[in-house]
């Protein structure tokens, strides 16, 4: 079997030299909890890591699509879509992507005087499922913010900011119920289409079919489509694609991600299809949209 540690199409990761991390670790705030390395690997077939003696850092793996596995303490666990694991330090482990349906993962290494307190009670993967109160996109947005801050962490203030944000990011997993309920509003007047659109937004990085959407809300595809279109005037899939393009606009305006990276983040297997759909919805290509929005930021 082919085994690859890094070097995948669409991957993103950033790290700092160990010498600089050791210097930052002396800071009273940074030293409690800080990032060593952070990244995103999309659909990484043949991904494989083995650490016979463990590592001096902890690792979070958040699977958002596909599936994989990891071995620890003499057990092998399957890691599925919308599940995460936190691997403890100084413990032998191995993990890898499923050969038939390789995972897409957000991951980070973290260290610090307090890092051991972020370990789950068991080694089993924990679910983070989309639902009416889920905040999957908020969590991924925070990941991107941490990623950008850490990528500029040769400046100490950005390192400090990434470390402080890391508490919130890890808390969104370990205090899942509280993370979801803190923004829960009165739902008495929430419409059917509002619930569907929220679910679509939470899964904007996936390619959901009408059948999958209908099954989640326990309707037949035809009845589901009729109910949704009656409230919104558009088909469910048309709405879902528009939400993808809306998210793409946010990435283009608010990040320096490459267009092919944005395409991958939103679940498009072909960048050319993403570009065609974007042009159809927005009336101009993604690159034209980026130039236009960049020009606006220069105006007084």
């Amino acid at each position: 079997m082919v085994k690859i540690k890094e070097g995948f199409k669409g991957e993103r990761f950033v790290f700092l030299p160990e010498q600089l991390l050791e210097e930052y670790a002396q800071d009273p705030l940074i030293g409690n909890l800080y990032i060593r390395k952070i990244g995103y690997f999309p659909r990484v077939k043949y991904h494989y890591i083995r650490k016979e003696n463990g590592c001096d850092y902890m690792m979070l793996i958040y699977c958002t699509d596909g599936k994989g596995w990891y071995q620890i303490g003499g057990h092998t666990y399957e890691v599925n879509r919308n599940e995460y694991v936190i691997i403890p330090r100084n413990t032998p482990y191995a993990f890898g992507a499923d050969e038939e349906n390789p995972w897409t993962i957000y991951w980070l290494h973290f260290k610090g005087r307090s890092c051991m307190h972020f370990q789950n009670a068991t080694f089993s993967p924990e679910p983070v499922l989309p639902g009416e109160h889920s905040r999957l996109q908020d969590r991924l947005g925070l990941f991107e913010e941490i990623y950008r801050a850490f990528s500029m962490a040769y400046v100490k203030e950005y390192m400090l900011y990434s470390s402080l944000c890391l508490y919130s990011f890890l808390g969104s997993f370990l205090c899942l119920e509280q993370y979801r309920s803190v923004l829960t509003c009165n739902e008495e007047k929430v419409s059917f289409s509002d619930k569907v659109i929220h679910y679509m937004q939470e899964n904007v990085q996936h390619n959901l079919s009408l059948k999958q959407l209908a099954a989640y809300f326990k309707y037949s595809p035809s009845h589901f489509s009729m109910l949704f279109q009656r409230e919104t005037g558009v088909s469910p899939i048309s709405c879902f694609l528009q939400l993808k393009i809306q998210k793409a606009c946010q990435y283009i305006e608010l990040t320096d991600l490459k267009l092919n990276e944005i395409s991958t983040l939103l679940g498009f297997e072909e960048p050319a299809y993403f570009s065609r759909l974007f042009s159809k919805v927005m009336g101009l290509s993604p690159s034209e949209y980026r130039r236009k929005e960049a020009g606006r930021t220069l105006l007084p």
Side-chain angles (χ1 to χ4, degrees):
M1 180 184 73
V2 178
K3 297 178 180 179
I4 304 174
K5 179 181 178 181
E6 292 174 350
F8 304 100
K9 181 180 179 181
E11 73 174 18
R12 293 188 291 136
F13 65 90
V14 62
F15 61 93
L16 294 180
E18 289 293 337
Q19 182 177 354
L20 182 58
L21 288 173
E22 290 174 5
E23 178 182 329
Y24 282 156
Q26 304 308 308
D27 182 273
L29 288 178
I30 295 174
N32 284 325
L33 186 71
Y34 61 93
I35 297 166
R36 174 184 177 270
K37 193 173 185 179
I38 184 171
Y40 166 77
F41 287 174
R43 297 187 290 273
V44 283
K45 193 172 185 179
Y46 306 127
H47 184 212
Y48 176 83
I49 299 288
R50 178 174 292 277
K51 298 290 185 180
E52 298 285 356
N53 299 311
C55 298
D56 65 349
Y57 54 81
M58 297 179 68
M59 183 174 188
L60 180 141
I61 301 174
Y62 177 30
C63 176
T64 59
D65 207 1
K67 61 182 179 179
W69 56 271
Y70 89 111
Q71 296 174 344
I72 190 168
H75 297 277
T76 299
Y77 301 89
E78 185 172 272
V79 184
N80 295 296
R81 171 175 165 176
N82 294 319
E83 291 184 340
Y84 78 94
V85 297
I86 295 180
I87 300 175
R89 62 185 185 179
N90 302 323
T91 304
Y93 68 85
F95 62 76
D98 182 79
E99 291 188 42
E100 299 299 322
N101 185 20
W103 60 14
T104 291
I105 56 172
Y106 292 80
W107 55 269
L108 56 83
H109 302 169
F110 61 98
K111 301 179 69 174
R113 291 181 289 271
S114 299
C115 73
M116 72 288 296
H117 299 300
F118 291 87
Q119 178 59 47
N120 281 325
T122 70
F123 294 142
S124 301
E126 298 287 341
V128 187
L129 301 175
E132 293 182 20
H133 305 301
S134 59
R135 300 174 58 196
L136 303 186
Q137 295 307 312
D138 289 348
R139 181 181 293 106
L140 295 182
L142 181 55
F143 178 92
E144 293 296 339
E145 190 165 341
I146 294 171
Y147 184 97
R148 293 183 71 195
F150 187 69
S151 70
M152 296 185 284
Y154 282 96
V155 177
K156 185 177 179 180
E157 286 73 17
Y158 283 105
M159 182 66 181
L160 174 60
Y161 183 67
S162 70
S163 293
L164 295 177
C165 287
L166 181 57
Y167 283 95
S168 293
F169 185 71
L170 294 175
S172 75
F173 292 98
L174 300 179
C175 302
L176 182 61
E177 181 179 348
Q178 292 74 22
Y179 175 70
R180 290 180 167 183
S181 65
V182 72
L183 293 184
T184 301
C185 61
N186 187 344
E187 292 195 329
E188 291 181 3
K189 297 183 179 180
V190 176
S191 68
F192 169 73
S193 59
D194 286 340
K195 294 178 181 179
V196 174
I197 290 171
H198 175 75
Y199 184 75
M200 290 177 175
Q201 289 172 330
E202 291 291 77
N203 287 278
V204 73
Q205 74 272 30
H206 301 307
N207 294 315
L208 297 179
S209 66
L210 177 60
K211 183 177 180 181
Q212 289 172 317
L213 286 167
Y216 178 82
F217 288 93
K218 298 179 173 58
Y219 289 103
S220 69
S222 59
H223 190 52
F224 172 83
S225 184
M226 181 273 293
L227 290 174
F228 186 85
Q229 195 153 349
R230 186 169 63 188
E231 289 191 14
T232 65
V234 298
S235 71
I237 296 303
S238 177
C239 179
F240 186 45
L241 292 175
Q242 289 179 27
L243 290 172
K244 281 179 175 284
I245 299 305
Q246 181 185 70
K247 189 68 174 179
C249 290
Q250 294 175 6
Y251 280 133
I252 290 172
E253 292 185 47
L254 302 177
T255 77
D256 56 2
L257 291 171
K258 297 177 182 178
L259 296 178
N260 65 330
E261 291 175 336
I262 294 172
S263 172
T264 298
L265 276 172
L266 294 172
F268 292 98
E269 296 184 4
E270 295 295 334
Y273 172 63
F274 164 69
S275 183
R276 289 196 302 272
L277 179 63
F278 189 100
S279 299
K280 180 179 179 180
V281 173
M282 299 301 298
L284 67 171
S285 70
S287 57
E288 290 170 337
Y289 184 85
R290 170 160 277 171
R291 285 194 296 270
K292 178 181 176 182
E293 293 305 315
R296 284 181 178 176
T297 62
L298 299 177
L299 296 176

